[in-house]
Amino acid sequence: MKQFLLFFALIFISTLNTKAQTSEISGDAFAHTYSIVARDAKTGEMAVGVQSHWFSVGPLVAWGKSGVGVVATQSFVNPAFGPQGLKLLDEGYTPEEAVESLINNDEGRDFRQLAILGKSGDNAAYTGEKCVAEAEHLNGDNFSVQANMMLNDKVVPAMAEAFVENANLPLAERVVAVLKAAQDAGGDIRGKQSAALIVVGPDKVDEVWKDKKIDLRVDDHENPIEELERLLKTARAYEFMNRGDLAMEEGNVEKALEEYGTAESMFPENLEMRFWKAVALANSDRLQEAKQIFDRIFDEDENWRIMLKRLPKAGLINVSKEEMKMLTK
């Protein structure tokens, strides 16, 4: 009986010790991953790109604010590092000071990985000694790359090399190239599942909805980086659509046609892009050209014919009743 009680006591004490060692990260979300925080030296834009074999990695890891900076918090994630890091930057802390402040006040620091980049491109990073190997970070000019639980030690160097070699690309596409390089080098030892990309501007904005210039997430996908790249291309096409809409509002039909045409060339199968190009043609009295496009659209989806008939009341197309009948015939 005494031996049994002694055995039970030893198990109980051992359990308490284990809990004491892990309590500082209990309840924290996993985001073992690779990421980059970066700045475009020409435009001043800042970005975070991330991929992980974990569901919906973006909201946990990637944080940014225009005119302030960007933060990537990962491994056993402390999500508070995101808003707190941005707040410290906004208060005048350097990235190095912000990282030091956050890490020194976190009992789970040994399990954390953190990178912060400021609006001038200065950056700092931290990798806790208990992050799962392979785990490291590299800081460079206008960027920091970091990873943990990688297949090998080649991932982080490959990311840094890709950022430097793709300086000709816009920042968002450059970040995607870095993520692809990480995956090609081995990536997450567990595989792939989710990815995210945010881009913020160089200047502070008053309207919160203007804060992120790009905000893309792939929460669960067989090939998340490929899907992220596809979404970015789609976003770029719709930027041309938005510029076309603005040109229409300003009465510059030729400019609108140019913008719509560029968008359509990127996604020729997209009916909406073709539709608004045809509307712009109709508004510039090029009715026969418009009708040819409308007819092909209506053959694929009759709902667009109904849509076209609703536009005059909304003031989005300037044609007579007879011309509308011809276009929708």
Side-chain angles (χ1 to χ4, degrees), residues 24 28-29 60 63 71 73-84 102 105-108 111-114:
E24 62 266 32
D28 290 343
L60 284 173
W63 301 82
V71 177
T73 171
Q74 58 196 51
S75 189
F76 283 90
V77 181
N78 185 339
F81 281 177
Q84 289 175 0
L102 293 173
N105 288 288
D106 182 17
E107 292 183 355
F111 302 90
R112 313 296 191 196
Q113 196 167 44
L114 173 67

Side-chain angles (χ1 to χ4, degrees), residues 66 98 109-110 120 145 155 161 179 204 261 274 285 295 303 312:
S66 289
R109 66 181 70 88
D110 289 345
S120 63
V145 289
V155 174
E161 183 178 355
L179 299 182
K204 291 184 178 181
R274 289 156 57 186
D285 295 324
D295 285 347
N303 286 348

Side-chain angles (χ1 to χ4, degrees), residues 255-324:
K255 180 63 175 175
L257 283 172
E258 179 185 342
E259 300 291 356
Y260 290 147
T262 301
E264 182 190 4
S265 68
M266 296 174 72
F267 286 94
E269 72 282 1
N270 188 300
L271 295 184
E272 178 148 17
M273 293 177 179
R274 289 156 57 186
F275 179 83
W276 292 110
K277 178 183 177 182
V279 170
L281 287 168
N283 281 333
S284 60
D285 295 324
R286 294 159 65 174
L287 296 176
Q288 289 304 318
E289 292 179 68
K291 179 169 175 54
Q292 291 178 8
I293 297 175
F294 283 136
D295 285 347
R296 290 194 292 270
I297 293 172
F298 300 156
D299 286 343
E300 294 189 50
D301 189 341
E302 185 66 21
N303 286 348
W304 287 102
R305 192 192 308 270
I306 301 171
M307 174 71 167
L308 181 58
K309 293 178 180 178
R310 294 177 178 178
L311 296 187
K313 186 177 180 180
L316 295 177
I317 193 169
N318 300 310
V319 296
S320 67
K321 291 183 178 179
E322 291 74 20
E323 290 170 335
M324 177 56 71

Side-chain angles (χ1 to χ4, degrees), residues 30 32-33 75-76 110-113 127-136 147-151 189-190:
F30 295 101
H32 300 291
T33 183
S75 189
F76 283 90
D110 289 345
F111 302 90
R112 313 296 191 196
Q113 196 167 44
T127 299
E129 63 180 22
K130 292 184 180 178
C131 289
V132 180
E134 297 288 335
E136 65 173 313
N148 60 85
M149 204 177 279
M150 294 298 101
L151 180 63
I189 195 170
R190 302 162 301 169

Side-chain angles (χ1 to χ4, degrees), residues 131-182:
C131 289
V132 180
E134 297 288 335
E136 65 173 313
H137 62 266
L138 284 176
N139 302 100
D141 187 16
N142 285 300
F143 77 94
S144 174
V145 289
Q146 44 283 325
N148 60 85
M149 204 177 279
M150 294 298 101
L151 180 63
N152 56 53
D153 60 2
K154 299 179 177 62
V155 174
V156 171
M159 295 173 73
E161 183 178 355
F163 184 78
V164 173
E165 290 182 347
N166 287 281
N168 60 310
L169 294 177
L171 182 60
E173 283 78 3
R174 194 176 180 186
V175 166
V176 171
V178 170
L179 299 182
K180 292 169 71 175

Side-chain angles (χ1 to χ4, degrees), residues 8-56:
F8 179 82
L10 289 173
I11 292 178
F12 180 72
I13 292 171
S14 176
T15 302
L16 286 179
N17 288 337
T18 301
K19 288 184 176 180
Q21 292 170 6
T22 60
S23 62
E24 62 266 32
I25 59 168
S26 61
D28 290 343
F30 295 101
H32 300 291
T33 183
Y34 53 82
S35 71
I36 175 172
V37 293
R39 174 180 176 270
D40 188 313
K42 296 177 182 178
T43 67
E45 291 179 338
M46 297 166 285
V48 182
V50 58
Q51 195 282 150
S52 175
H53 188 278
W54 197 257
F55 177 72
S56 191

Side-chain angles (χ1 to χ4, degrees), residues 56-268:
S56 191
V57 70
L60 284 173
V61 172
W63 301 82
K65 187 173 180 61
S66 289
V68 176
V70 287
V71 177
T73 171
Q74 58 196 51
S75 189
F76 283 90
V77 181
N78 185 339
F81 281 177
Q84 289 175 0
L86 294 174
K87 183 175 183 292
L88 291 174
L89 289 178
D90 204 17
E91 291 175 351
Y93 281 62
T94 67
E96 185 175 0
E97 291 169 341
V99 168
E100 183 178 354
S101 175
L102 293 173
I103 292 300
N104 286 346
N105 288 288
D106 182 17
E107 292 183 355
R109 66 181 70 88
D110 289 345
F111 302 90
R112 313 296 191 196
Q113 196 167 44
L114 173 67
I116 298 180
L117 179 139
K119 63 181 180 181
S120 63
D122 52 331
N123 59 86
Y126 168 86
T127 299
E129 63 180 22
K130 292 184 180 178
C131 289
V132 180
E134 297 288 335
E136 65 173 313
H137 62 266
L138 284 176
N139 302 100
D141 187 16
N142 285 300
F143 77 94
S144 174
V145 289
Q146 44 283 325
N148 60 85
M149 204 177 279
M150 294 298 101
L151 180 63
N152 56 53
D153 60 2
K154 299 179 177 62
V155 174
V156 171
M159 295 173 73
E161 183 178 355
F163 184 78
V164 173
E165 290 182 347
N166 287 281
N168 60 310
L169 294 177
L171 182 60
E173 283 78 3
R174 194 176 180 186
V175 166
V176 171
V178 170
L179 299 182
K180 292 169 71 175
Q183 192 59 47
D184 290 343
D188 189 322
I189 195 170
R190 302 162 301 169
K192 304 170 288 184
Q193 186 169 1
S194 67
L197 169 67
I198 64 170
V199 177
V200 297
D203 303 312
K204 291 184 178 181
V205 295
D206 294 326
E207 299 87 354
V208 65
W209 57 89
K210 293 182 179 179
D211 199 42
K212 290 186 175 65
K213 304 182 75 171
I214 293 176
D215 188 2
L216 302 175
R217 285 170 44 185
V218 179
D219 287 339
D220 187 28
H221 197 277
E222 184 178 0
N223 294 296
I225 300 175
E226 292 178 16
E227 178 63 6
L228 189 68
E229 186 174 34
R230 185 193 70 80
L231 290 176
L232 178 57
K233 182 182 177 183
T234 304
R236 294 302 195 196
Y238 273 92
E239 287 177 1
F240 286 106
M241 290 295 294
N242 291 335
R243 288 199 285 267
D245 292 344
L246 181 60
M248 288 291 289
E249 291 176 11
E250 296 171 346
N252 190 341
V253 177
E254 289 304 316
K255 180 63 175 175
L257 283 172
E258 179 185 342
E259 300 291 356
Y260 290 147
T262 301
E264 182 190 4
S265 68
M266 296 174 72
F267 286 94

